[in-house]
Amino acid sequence: MKGNGFRALAVALLLALVAIPMTGCFREVLYGNWDLQYTSKVDGSDESKPPFSVVMTLMDDGTVLLYGSPFGTFTRDRDNFTLTIAGDDGEEETYMTGGWEVNGSNLIIYPDGQDLRYVFAKVAANTEAPAE
């Protein structure tokens, strides 16, 4: 019995050592280029496509780019975020708070206090020079 308890503890420690770094790597997929695919209610009903393309880039320093231009900053605490943008007077204001998750190649944002979700698809950065 003593040997089985030791083995179980060893397996639990091994799993913890593997899971902790993987969780950190998983969070890294948050950074990059995202294209808004649709919005819907949290339960998935009432899906609506955006009237025009919305492309944002999330940088690992917390900068949010919209169409390649600085838009605001974000901070995150586990699966929660705060988006801050400059107000009309130039002062930074909290624009949105909520939760987020990465599901496959999609980033899903759940704004606080709303029965709404934004579903973004990951897009590769264009590294090719434009054709002349």
Side-chain angles (χ1 to χ4, degrees), residues 73-95:
T73 59
F74 74 95
T75 56
R76 62 183 177 91
D77 178 15
R78 298 185 189 136
D79 295 337
N80 296 305
F81 73 91
T82 300
L83 174 64
T84 304
I85 61 171
D88 293 334
D89 58 1
E91 294 293 317
E92 288 194 341
E93 300 175 4
T94 297
Y95 179 72

Side-chain angles (χ1 to χ4, degrees), residues 26-101:
F26 176 75
R27 297 292 184 232
E28 296 303 315
V29 301
L30 173 65
Y31 307 122
N33 302 305
W34 298 96
D35 184 24
L36 180 62
Q37 299 296 297
Y38 63 91
T39 61
S40 72
K41 290 186 176 182
V42 172
D43 67 6
S45 64
D46 293 337
E47 188 175 306
S48 177
K49 300 270 186 203
F52 53 87
S53 176
V54 176
V55 179
M56 72 173 175
T57 302
L58 301 177
M59 309 292 287
D60 61 0
D61 67 355
T63 302
V64 178
L65 305 177
L66 195 62
Y67 304 109
S69 298
F71 176 72
T73 59
F74 74 95
T75 56
R76 62 183 177 91
D77 178 15
R78 298 185 189 136
D79 295 337
N80 296 305
F81 73 91
T82 300
L83 174 64
T84 304
I85 61 171
D88 293 334
D89 58 1
E91 294 293 317
E92 288 194 341
E93 300 175 4
T94 297
Y95 179 72
M96 181 188 296
T97 61
W100 65 274
E101 69 176 327

Side-chain angles (χ1 to χ4, degrees), residues 2-20:
K2 239 180 175 177
N4 287 339
F6 179 74
R7 276 191 218 122
L9 178 61
V11 168
L13 287 173
L14 179 62
L15 289 174
L17 290 173
V18 170
I20 290 169

